[in-house]
């Protein structure tokens, strides 16, 4: 199993879209906030622009998190960087920009690990995996990331192109054979939706040498999740699971 977190002791706290509960998601201010709150890694989402650059934004469209309109992939980098990606969250974040993937990696190098989610669908980006690896190479960050996706074809393609990159499969159901899901995608990690997580699933992942880290939003019950023995958690509020981890460690659990 490739572990993007190296020798750091777990369980790892991954700041979801940075610290999406505190700042406009997937922006530099959100990533800064995430590590200020002692996240071990920041998670981000990538889409390509019309001129072949990768930008960090969650949706395939611009409306929810910027003052732009339409698809990310039909806009140039310059057009996207002209948008306000902060005011929707709070006026105090006016004119915060959509960062490039390269920009975030350069900021993260030597500072924090990065969980990179490749977004696919309903528009499919046939070369996004090659584009992502090229940017990782420019930043010399192949060994510092965990690449994840709900598109398991993308996950498998990344591993086939670059076996040394740690990968994980996202999924949202209580699947019959989660280990088989990882094997089919040649992945190193399982990323299940947290309410359907079980101790048995965690044990099966560990028996197979897989890292397991569930995902979810602000509604997550970290006492429950961490009691299952997971290796990592995703958090909009990275201080919330950190508090639970420290309480459990103090109690000797
Ligand atoms: O990135 C992990 C998980 O949170 C996937 O869901 O919609 O937040 O990208 P989403
Ligand atoms: Ca994501």
């Amino acid at each position: 199993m490739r572990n993007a977190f190296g020798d750091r002791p777990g369980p790892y706290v991954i700041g979801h879209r940075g610290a999406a509960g505190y700042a406009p998601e997937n922006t530099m201010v959100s990533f800064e906030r995430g590590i200020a709150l002692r996240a071990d890694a920041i998670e981000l989402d990538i889409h390509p622009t019309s001129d072949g650059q990768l930008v960090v934004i969650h949706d395939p469209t611009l409306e929810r998190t910027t003052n732009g309109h339409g698809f990310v992939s039909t806009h140039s980098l310059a057009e996207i960087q002209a948008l306000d990606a902060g005011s929707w969250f709070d006026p105090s974040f006016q004119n915060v920009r959509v960062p490039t993937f390269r920009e975030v990696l350069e900021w993260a190098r030597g500072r924090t690990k990065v969980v990179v989610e490749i977004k696919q669908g309903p528009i499919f980006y046939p070369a996004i995996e090659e584009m992502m690896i090229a940017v990782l190479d420019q930043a010399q960050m192949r060994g510092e990331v965990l690449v994840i996706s709900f598109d398991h074809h993308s996950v498998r393609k990344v591993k086939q192109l670059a076996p040394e990159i740690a990968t994980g499969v996202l999924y949202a159901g209580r699947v019959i054979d989660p280990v088989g899901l990882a094997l089919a995608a040649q992945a190193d990690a399982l990323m299940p939706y947290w309410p359907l997580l079980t101790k048995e699933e965690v044990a099966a992942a560990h028996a197979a040498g897989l890292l397991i880290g569930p995902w979810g939003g602000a509604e997550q019950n970290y006492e429950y999740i961490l009691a299952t023995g997971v290796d990592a958690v995703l958090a909009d509020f990275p201080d919330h699971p950190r508090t639970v981890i420290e309480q459990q460690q103090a109690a000797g659990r």
Side-chain angles (χ1 to χ4, degrees):
M1 174 185 77
R2 294 201 174 273
N3 180 356
F5 299 95
D7 294 331
R8 288 185 186 212
Y12 311 111
V13 174
I14 304 169
H16 189 220
R17 310 178 198 172
Y22 291 114
E25 64 184 53
N26 279 325
T27 65
M28 295 310 302
V29 65
S30 187
F31 299 134
E32 290 277 8
R33 191 69 188 268
I35 63 165
L37 293 168
R38 297 188 290 145
D40 297 291
I42 51 105
E43 186 263 357
L44 55 79
D45 307 281
I46 55 170
H47 291 265
T49 64
S50 63
D51 49 351
Q53 303 298 309
L54 290 175
V55 286
V56 176
I57 187 168
H58 181 273
D59 298 358
T61 50
L62 297 165
E63 280 81 356
R64 184 178 64 84
T65 59
T66 77
N67 59 344
H69 302 282
F71 291 106
V72 173
S73 58
T74 59
H75 288 73
S76 68
L77 176 61
E79 288 170 334
I80 288 171
Q81 288 189 316
L83 300 174
D84 176 349
S87 291
W88 70 274
F89 186 85
D90 187 274
S92 63
F93 293 103
Q94 186 179 14
N95 288 327
V96 165
R97 301 295 166 184
V98 173
T100 64
F101 181 43
R102 174 81 186 265
E103 179 184 354
V104 180
L105 290 180
E106 296 288 357
W107 166 85
R109 190 173 55 227
R111 186 177 275 153
T112 188
K113 306 291 182 179
V114 183
V115 177
V116 182
E117 184 180 348
I118 296 177
K119 284 298 189 192
Q120 295 277 27
I123 302 169
F124 289 90
Y125 310 122
I128 192 170
E129 301 87 0
E130 288 90 339
M131 295 168 69
M132 181 206 66
I133 292 169
V135 180
L136 288 178
D137 285 346
Q138 288 164 1
Q140 300 183 303
M141 289 279 282
R142 278 194 190 202
E144 307 299 316
V145 297
L146 172 65
V147 177
I148 62 175
S149 186
F150 287 103
D151 186 328
H152 298 183
H153 296 269
S154 273
V155 173
R156 185 175 59 177
K157 185 175 172 185
V158 169
K159 183 62 76 176
Q160 290 173 344
L161 289 169
E164 66 273 37
I165 295 178
T167 59
V169 284
L170 286 161
Y171 54 100
R174 189 173 175 210
V175 301
I176 300 291
D177 183 10
V179 171
L181 212 63
L183 291 176
Q186 301 173 23
D188 306 291
L190 292 174
M191 312 287 285
Y193 185 39
W194 79 270
L196 294 163
L197 178 73
T198 64
K199 277 189 176 176
E200 292 72 25
E201 188 175 7
V202 175
H206 288 163
L210 299 167
L211 182 144
I212 183 164
W215 61 275
E219 80 291 354
Q220 292 179 85
N221 180 333
Y222 292 112
E223 284 81 4
Y224 169 77
I225 292 170
L226 289 159
T228 65
V230 294
D231 303 293
V233 294
L234 273 145
D236 287 1
F237 301 89
D239 49 326
H240 293 186
R242 181 65 68 201
T243 299
V244 177
I245 290 167
E246 289 177 345
Q247 287 170 344
Q248 291 186 346
Q249 287 172 343
R253 282 179 271 163

